[in-house]
């Protein structure tokens, strides 16, 4: 069911073909094996979370063939340019604000206004990115909570039968994940230690802040950027006259403004439409003078659990506060 692809021209061409069609492909990077999907395809990105059985939508790293392509998607700073020149291609991930019109799926960034980008050094990853011609969103290619895979056999053991293919590039050289540096605030912050040492990064950036320095830097944080401005009511079983409806399955009777996450009741489809749906519904409800959003219950099977986690946090947010939570 999961195709085993060799590290040759035919294997690369097949991997690229599957990815361009929205499939999931395990591929080697110099850090660990990534579970890749077309980062511009919301449904493909949702399929990553489904395959990994992640209980939460944490933001994924987007992989690019070169720095120019990465900096088309995010707003580079002079410091970002210097880090890229020093460490790309290589095991360093930079978190930067998304550019206006950035084509990467909102779900890949978990709805945040920032995006994590990296240019991997593994020659096979570089060739695959060029062949696909699109960025690849790729977390480690293991089920949630399992150790990160450094061989194709690890990927097959964890995800075999659940993904389209695995491109076998042998064992990963680095074996630990990339270092993640957040450059979106005033001071650069090391969010995750990894393949490039803190000392090497600080030789370029000066002293790095720690994640605790600012709660908004925490990985997995639900940023206010994507929480709706209008209050959100959960588990709605009827709809009020001043409410807009976030529907799942058959919409409740009587709703005027509706965004249906998945008319057919499919949690993976709903995940793919969640962030865009919240943005649209929030804006449309305000435009029509409505006062609140009401979300129909989403069953917790499959990605329903992660959807409910995000909806709960969006609903709990008080003005001027954020709630943080991280997930591995
Ligand atoms: P993984 O995909 O498993 O290698 O993990 C990606 C890492 O990058 C996690 O620690 C994420 O929380 C972090 N990350 C990705 N995107 C962002 C972002 N926009 N803001 C902050 N952290 C991020
Ligand atoms: Mg991981």
């Amino acid at each position: 069911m999961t195709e085993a692809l060799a590290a040759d021209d035919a294997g690369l061409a097949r991997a690229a073909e599957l990815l361009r069609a929205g499939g999931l492909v395990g591929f080697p990077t110099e850090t660990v094996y990534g579970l890749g999907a077309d980062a511009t395809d919301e449904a493909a990105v949702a399929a990553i979370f489904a395959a990994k059985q992640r209980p939460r939508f944490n933001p994924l790293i987007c992989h690019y063939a070169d720095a120019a392509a990465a900096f088309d998607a995010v707003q580079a700073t002079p410091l970002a340019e210097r880090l890229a020149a020093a460490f790309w291609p290589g095991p360093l991930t930079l978190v930067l604000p998304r550019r206006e019109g950035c084509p990467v799926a909102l779900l890949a960034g978990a709805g945040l206004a920032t995006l994590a980008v990296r240019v991997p050094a593994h020659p096979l990853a570089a060739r695959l990115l060029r062949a696909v011609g699109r960025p690849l969103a790729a977390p480690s290619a293991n089920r949630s909570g399992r150790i990160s895979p450094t061989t194709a056999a690890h990927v097959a053991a964890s995800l075999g039968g659940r993904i389209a293919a695995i491109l076998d590039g042998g064992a990963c050289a680095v074996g630990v994940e990339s270092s993640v540096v957040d450059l979106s605030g005033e001071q650069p912050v090391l969010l995750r230690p990894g393949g490039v040492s803190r000392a090497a990064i600080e030789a370029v950036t000066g002293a790095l802040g720690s994640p605790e320095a600012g709660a908004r830097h925490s990985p997995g944080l639900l940023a206010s950027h994507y929480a709706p401005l209008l209050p959100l009511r959960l588990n709605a079983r009827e709809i009020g006259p001043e409410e807009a409806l976030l529907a799942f399955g058959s919409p409740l009777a009587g709703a005027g403004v509706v965004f249906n996450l998945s008319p057919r009741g499919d949690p993976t489809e709903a995940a793919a439409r969640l962030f865009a749906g919240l943005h649209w519904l929030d804006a449309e409800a305000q435009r029509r003078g409505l006062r609140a959003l009401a979300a129909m219950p989403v069953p917790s099977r499959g990605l329903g659990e992660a959807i409910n986690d995000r909806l709960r946090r969006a609903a709990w947010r008080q003005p001027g506060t954020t709630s943080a939570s991280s997930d591995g």
Side-chain angles (χ1 to χ4, degrees), residues 52 54 140 142 148 177:
K52 282 183 67 86
R54 267 196 178 168
S140 50
N142 54 288
S148 291
E177 281 93 345

Side-chain angles (χ1 to χ4, degrees), residues 95-124:
V95 174
L96 289 160
R98 293 168 75 111
R99 275 189 199 280
E100 189 96 40
C102 170
V104 172
L106 289 172
L107 188 61
L112 297 169
T114 54
L115 192 65
V117 297
R118 174 166 109 81
V119 176
H122 196 293
L124 208 56

Side-chain angles (χ1 to χ4, degrees), residues 32-321:
V32 301
Y33 271 73
L35 178 58
D38 176 354
T40 66
D41 179 340
E42 297 272 2
V45 174
I48 288 180
F49 290 101
K52 282 183 67 86
Q53 301 179 304
R54 267 196 178 168
R56 292 205 179 126
F57 299 127
N58 49 340
L60 307 177
I61 296 168
C62 281
H63 296 73
Y64 289 85
D66 52 51
F71 293 153
D72 267 351
V74 292
Q75 296 165 31
T77 60
L79 189 53
E81 306 267 9
R82 295 211 318 270
L83 284 168
F87 300 113
W88 282 355
L92 178 70
T93 294
L94 302 179
V95 174
L96 289 160
R98 293 168 75 111
R99 275 189 199 280
E100 189 96 40
C102 170
V104 172
L106 289 172
L107 188 61
L112 297 169
T114 54
L115 192 65
V117 297
R118 174 166 109 81
V119 176
H122 196 293
L124 208 56
R127 287 175 66 196
L128 181 63
L129 284 160
R130 291 218 162 72
V132 176
R134 295 181 199 151
L136 294 178
S140 50
N142 54 288
R143 289 206 204 182
S144 188
R146 310 274 180 85
I147 38 176
S148 291
T150 53
T151 66
H154 292 161
V155 182
S158 195
L159 294 170
R162 304 179 64 87
I163 63 178
I166 301 168
L167 186 61
D168 189 347
C172 301
V174 177
V176 296
E177 281 93 345
S178 59
S179 306
V180 180
V181 176
D182 186 350
L183 296 174
S184 68
E186 308 89 72
Q187 197 199 1
V189 170
L190 184 62
L191 293 180
R192 178 175 78 182
V196 179
S197 72
R198 172 189 281 270
I201 299 167
E202 287 185 332
V204 176
T205 60
L208 288 165
S210 59
E212 308 81 61
R216 69 179 203 85
H217 290 295
S218 301
L221 176 82
L222 175 60
S224 54
H225 294 108
Y226 108 114
L229 291 173
L230 292 176
L232 172 66
R233 185 166 69 86
L234 302 181
N235 291 315
R237 308 209 178 251
E238 79 299 319
I239 185 87
E242 304 211 296
E243 290 179 326
L245 181 68
L246 190 68
F248 180 86
S250 313
L252 296 171
V257 178
V258 179
F259 185 92
N260 201 329
L261 290 171
S262 175
R264 65 170 190 266
D266 171 6
T268 302
E269 180 184 43
R273 291 162 56 77
L274 177 64
F275 293 112
L278 276 172
H279 280 297
W280 181 85
L281 196 65
D282 195 32
E284 185 64 11
Q286 288 175 68
R287 207 173 66 75
R288 306 265 204 109
L290 299 179
R291 298 287 173 91
L293 312 181
M296 288 174 65
V298 177
S300 61
R301 73 192 140 83
L303 290 185
E305 187 183 355
I307 292 170
N308 285 323
D309 169 71
R310 279 314 191 198
L311 287 177
R312 262 196 309 276
R313 289 196 268 165
W316 282 353
R317 192 180 72 88
Q318 298 301 309
T321 68

